[in-house]
Amino acid sequence: MTTIQPTAVSADAMDVATREPQATPRRDRHSHPFRRPDPQELWGWLFVLVPMLLFLTFVIIPVVMAVVLSFTDYAVIGDVGWVGLENYRSILDDPIFGLALRNTAIYTVMFVPLGVLVALGTALLLNRDSRAVNLFRTFFYVPVVASTVATATIWYWLLNPQSGLFNIVLGWFGINGPAWLYDSKWAMTAIVLMSVWSGFGTNMLIYLGGLQGIPRELYEAVRIDGANAWQSLRYITLPGLSRTTFLISTLLIIGAFQVFDQAYLLTKGGPGNSTLTVVYYIYNQGFGGLKMGYASALSFVLFLIIAVFSLINFRLTSRSQS
Amino acid sequence: MTAAAPQPSLMRAKRPSTPRQKIGTVLWFAAVVLISITTVFPLVWTIVTSLKPEGEILSSSLQIWPDAPTLENYVRAWTSVPFGRYFFNSTFLAVAGVVLNIFFGSLAGYAFARLRFRGKRALFGTLLSSLMIPGIVTMVPTFLVLRRFPFAGGNDLFGEGGMGFINSYWAVILPGAAGAFAVFFMRQFFASMPEELAEAARIDGASEFRIFAQIYMPLATAGAAVLGILTFQAGWNSFMWPLIVLSDRSMLTVQVGLAAFKSEHTTDYGPLMAGTVIVSLPVLLIFVLAQRYIIEGVAHVGSK
């Protein structure tokens, strides 16, 4: 039935529909015991069966398991014991977790605002009537295409203290650049810069979509009222983008607290643990030290922290909306 | 510069441009060109470095074209690490991910958008809310599920005795075969299609599967293509999960292989950059060919 003749079928449809009322979608048919079972009922379940089995096996069961594991001392080898809240108690006295949390917080505080600002700024730049926009939009998006591993390898080279591009360019302005990845004061900044560079393109596109949704008449109206560019940005554009900003900042916060790849690839958590992040620590505990019970407890603590910060973010963005 | 060149027709269509607007246009071009340099130049520099002989890399690192271009770095990268094998692994995993996500994503997305069945809203709600669970929470347990999967990789009924799916392609394929994102993405496409087509076909006696496969699926090919491209990129570029579940040397993906190569050859910038180019080539190529779809796809997802 690759081709359908709309006219012929619709005439038929009218005819049949009047004779057999059950052919038309009705909600109350589920409750009627004497009718034939709805074929859609069976097909619907068939269609979602395999995806839902996979979802059950690799999402639902793991989430439940994570809860259970976090109360045990499961370590792959040896017996499993129920330890109650012991894992959570030791997290509180774990100085390395404290350090990892501090590093992650520093990363988040730098990365999220910078990520929002760069994405918004580039989107505002590209939100104009010009055929050149498409070309530059593509150029701006290029870093997103490269993998974190490729990006990290490139940046590793860019950040080389002697022959890297960063310090060469800084040298032009008479600035003696830091040793970046080899300097515990600068390593995290370097990771933030790389993360913003490699990820802003996606959020820029989302912002561009949001900008298109703001009615042009609003801009016309405030211009007639004598508003300047800054005022129309402040009173029309930013409020019009508040939902988009909420989406983007939430995604950035969730991503920032789970940062791993960049730290693993650029610095291995060093120098002096200055870039050891929470997920890196969980990875080390769970897959390095095989302390999977403890790692599960750590991941729940992180989940909680992410949830709290997402909520705060929600409050902040919903307040700025009103 | 081509500052105002592409636009005279556009400008004329509105009103004659004032000097202030002209300055604005020039400043705009200066800004976007500067940003483009920061986004594109590192990649250009990578390619240039990969073509430089060892001596030139550190001595004249800024030189935009090598004095004596060479492919020696590529030969060294390719021979010191089994990149061919890694390439096969990554391609296989990424393509399997694309096929399975399009298939299952379309089936489930269609069912959630267009079919009536009990429990539909609850199921879809659960699926959607799972998108908010950080990946780290399920990481350790998913590893254990794969390791203790009954009857897999030498395991018995209780998941004892073997390594399960660990170090096999399944360890990457199964958890990602029907992502919640794929289901949600395809559902959005099917939900926007007219119901009349299905009603007409139902009266003609077509089965629900035929209605899906022969009427609605052909209408969703553009969406499926975008999903396929995004899934391929994500699969090809994924790092942490393959790092955890594929540790056997012959099972590494290009990303994990490049990372290992990087920590073994920390100062061999030439082969490192050559490896980076090799690893990035497939996604860059797809991006060049399908950039319109990718950019529209991302914007489409963002607007939901």
Side-chain angles (χ1 to χ4, degrees), chain A residues 1-10, chain B residues 196-198 200-201 204 214-215:
Chain A
M1 129 140 244
T2 39
T3 52
I4 322 155
Q5 280 89 30
T7 46
V9 174
S10 59
Chain B
E196 291 79 38
L197 300 173
D204 278 3
Q214 295 185 351
I215 299 176

Side-chain angles (χ1 to χ4, degrees), chain A residues 115-127 133-144 196-212 241 244 248 252, chain B residues 32 35-36 39 287 295 298-299 302:
Chain A
V116 169
L117 282 179
V118 173
L120 178 63
T122 46
L124 288 173
L125 259 183
L126 293 185
N127 189 40
V133 160
N134 284 347
L135 179 71
F136 289 109
R137 193 180 55 182
T138 304
F139 283 161
F140 288 12
Y141 190 75
V142 161
V144 178
V196 171
W197 181 82
S198 70
F200 83 89
T202 307
N203 297 328
M204 173 191 80
L205 292 183
I206 298 176
Y207 262 133
L208 274 171
L211 283 168
Q212 248 118 65
L241 289 175
T244 316
I248 289 174
L252 286 177
Chain B
V32 290
I35 296 172
S36 300
T39 54
F287 178 66
I295 284 172
V298 173

Side-chain angles (χ1 to χ4, degrees), chain A residues 251-262:
Chain A
L251 291 175
L252 286 177
I253 288 173
I254 294 174
F257 275 106
Q258 295 187 82
V259 60
F260 168 79
D261 295 10
Q262 294 92 322

